[in-house]
PDB file of all heavy atoms in Angstrom:
ATOM      1  N   ILE A  66     161.245  79.126 214.577  1.00 94.00           N
ATOM      2  CA  ILE A  66     161.187  80.175 213.552  1.00 94.00           C
ATOM      3  C   ILE A  66     162.003  79.700 212.366  1.00 94.00           C
ATOM      4  O   ILE A  66     163.221  79.554 212.469  1.00 94.00           O
ATOM      5  CB  ILE A  66     161.709  81.505 214.085  1.00 94.00           C
ATOM      6  CG1 ILE A  66     160.877  81.950 215.301  1.00 94.00           C
ATOM      7  CG2 ILE A  66     161.696  82.553 212.980  1.00 94.00           C
ATOM      8  CD1 ILE A  66     161.476  83.171 216.035  1.00 94.00           C
ATOM      9  N   LEU A  67     161.334  79.435 211.245  1.00 93.00           N
ATOM     10  CA  LEU A  67     162.031  78.977 210.061  1.00 93.00           C
ATOM     11  C   LEU A  67     162.664  80.123 209.303  1.00 93.00           C
ATOM     12  O   LEU A  67     163.839  80.070 208.941  1.00 93.00           O
ATOM     13  CB  LEU A  67     161.080  78.209 209.155  1.00 93.00           C
ATOM     14  CG  LEU A  67     160.479  76.929 209.715  1.00 93.00           C
ATOM     15  CD1 LEU A  67     159.507  76.307 208.718  1.00 93.00           C
ATOM     16  CD2 LEU A  67     161.594  75.935 210.071  1.00 93.00           C
ATOM     17  N   THR A  68     161.879  81.157 209.014  1.00 94.00           N
ATOM     18  CA  THR A  68     162.365  82.296 208.268  1.00 94.00           C
ATOM     19  C   THR A  68     161.371  83.436 208.325  1.00 94.00           C
ATOM     20  O   THR A  68     160.202  83.215 208.574  1.00 94.00           O
ATOM     21  CB  THR A  68     162.658  81.912 206.799  1.00 94.00           C
ATOM     22  OG1 THR A  68     163.336  82.990 206.144  1.00 94.00           O
ATOM     23  CG2 THR A  68     161.427  81.571 206.041  1.00 94.00           C
ATOM     24  N   ILE A  69     161.908  84.612 208.084  1.00 95.00           N
ATOM     25  CA  ILE A  69     161.075  85.792 207.859  1.00 95.00           C
ATOM     26  C   ILE A  69     161.420  86.239 206.436  1.00 95.00           C
ATOM     27  O   ILE A  69     162.583  86.327 206.071  1.00 95.00           O
ATOM     28  CB  ILE A  69     161.408  86.905 208.876  1.00 95.00           C
ATOM     29  CG1 ILE A  69     161.073  86.417 210.286  1.00 95.00           C
ATOM     30  CG2 ILE A  69     160.631  88.188 208.534  1.00 95.00           C
ATOM     31  CD1 ILE A  69     161.577  87.306 211.391  1.00 95.00           C
ATOM     32  N   PHE A  70     160.385  86.475 205.632  1.00 96.00           N
ATOM     33  CA  PHE A  70     160.627  86.755 204.223  1.00 96.00           C
ATOM     34  C   PHE A  70     159.662  87.828 203.707  1.00 96.00           C
ATOM     35  O   PHE A  70     158.541  87.944 204.215  1.00 96.00           O
ATOM     36  CB  PHE A  70     160.489  85.454 203.375  1.00 96.00           C
ATOM     37  CG  PHE A  70     159.138  84.784 203.539  1.00 96.00           C
ATOM     38  CD1 PHE A  70     158.142  85.001 202.610  1.00 96.00           C
ATOM     39  CD2 PHE A  70     158.873  83.954 204.609  1.00 96.00           C
ATOM     40  CE1 PHE A  70     156.909  84.400 202.725  1.00 96.00           C
ATOM     41  CE2 PHE A  70     157.635  83.341 204.761  1.00 96.00           C
ATOM     42  CZ  PHE A  70     156.652  83.560 203.798  1.00 96.00           C
ATOM     43  N   PRO A  71     160.115  88.606 202.725  1.00 96.00           N
ATOM     44  CA  PRO A  71     159.266  89.681 202.193  1.00 96.00           C
ATOM     45  C   PRO A  71     158.401  89.182 201.019  1.00 96.00           C
ATOM     46  O   PRO A  71     158.799  88.273 200.280  1.00 96.00           O
ATOM     47  CB  PRO A  71     160.291  90.690 201.666  1.00 96.00           C
ATOM     48  CG  PRO A  71     161.450  89.849 201.237  1.00 96.00           C
ATOM     49  CD  PRO A  71     161.494  88.687 202.235  1.00 96.00           C
ATOM     50  N   GLU A  76     156.159  91.777 205.285  1.00 97.00           N
ATOM     51  CA  GLU A  76     156.972  90.643 205.680  1.00 97.00           C
ATOM     52  C   GLU A  76     156.071  89.573 206.288  1.00 97.00           C
ATOM     53  O   GLU A  76     155.006  89.847 206.839  1.00 97.00           O
ATOM     54  CB  GLU A  76     158.010  91.058 206.734  1.00 97.00           C
ATOM     55  CG  GLU A  76     159.169  91.831 206.121  1.00 97.00           C
ATOM     56  CD  GLU A  76     160.296  91.973 207.134  1.00 97.00           C
ATOM     57  OE1 GLU A  76     160.047  92.499 208.244  1.00 97.00           O
ATOM     58  OE2 GLU A  76     161.415  91.578 206.810  1.00 97.00           O
ATOM     59  N   TYR A  77     156.540  88.343 206.150  1.00 97.00           N
ATOM     60  CA  TYR A  77     155.843  87.189 206.647  1.00 97.00           C
ATOM     61  C   TYR A  77     156.817  86.313 207.423  1.00 97.00           C
ATOM     62  O   TYR A  77     158.023  86.375 207.203  1.00 97.00           O
ATOM     63  CB  TYR A  77     155.180  86.378 205.502  1.00 97.00           C
ATOM     64  CG  TYR A  77     154.153  87.174 204.799  1.00 97.00           C
ATOM     65  CD1 TYR A  77     154.486  88.024 203.747  1.00 97.00           C
ATOM     66  CD2 TYR A  77     152.834  87.190 205.216  1.00 97.00           C
ATOM     67  CE1 TYR A  77     153.533  88.822 203.107  1.00 97.00           C
ATOM     68  CE2 TYR A  77     151.862  87.967 204.574  1.00 97.00           C
ATOM     69  CZ  TYR A  77     152.216  88.785 203.546  1.00 97.00           C
ATOM     70  OH  TYR A  77     151.278  89.562 202.933  1.00 97.00           O
ATOM     71  N   ILE A  78     156.279  85.481 208.321  1.00 97.00           N
ATOM     72  CA  ILE A  78     157.098  84.597 209.122  1.00 97.00           C
ATOM     73  C   ILE A  78     156.562  83.183 208.933  1.00 97.00           C
ATOM     74  O   ILE A  78     155.340  82.957 208.899  1.00 97.00           O
ATOM     75  CB  ILE A  78     157.131  85.031 210.581  1.00 97.00           C
ATOM     76  CG1 ILE A  78     158.142  84.194 211.395  1.00 97.00           C
ATOM     77  CG2 ILE A  78     155.755  84.973 211.217  1.00 97.00           C
ATOM     78  CD1 ILE A  78     158.454  84.750 212.760  1.00 97.00           C
ATOM     79  N   PHE A  99     154.133  89.437 209.493  1.00 96.00           N
ATOM     80  CA  PHE A  99     155.104  89.794 210.513  1.00 96.00           C
ATOM     81  C   PHE A  99     155.456  91.268 210.454  1.00 96.00           C
ATOM     82  O   PHE A  99     155.629  91.859 209.399  1.00 96.00           O
ATOM     83  CB  PHE A  99     156.398  88.977 210.292  1.00 96.00           C
ATOM     84  CG  PHE A  99     157.502  89.285 211.250  1.00 96.00           C
ATOM     85  CD1 PHE A  99     157.542  88.693 212.502  1.00 96.00           C
ATOM     86  CD2 PHE A  99     158.506  90.166 210.942  1.00 96.00           C
ATOM     87  CE1 PHE A  99     158.538  88.987 213.406  1.00 96.00           C
ATOM     88  CE2 PHE A  99     159.533  90.479 211.828  1.00 96.00           C
ATOM     89  CZ  PHE A  99     159.531  89.872 213.060  1.00 96.00           C
TER      90      PHE A  99
END
Side-chain angles (χ1 to χ4, degrees):
I66 300 171
L67 297 177
T68 188
I69 298 170
F70 58 97
E76 285 191 304
Y77 296 87
I78 188 168
F99 177 83

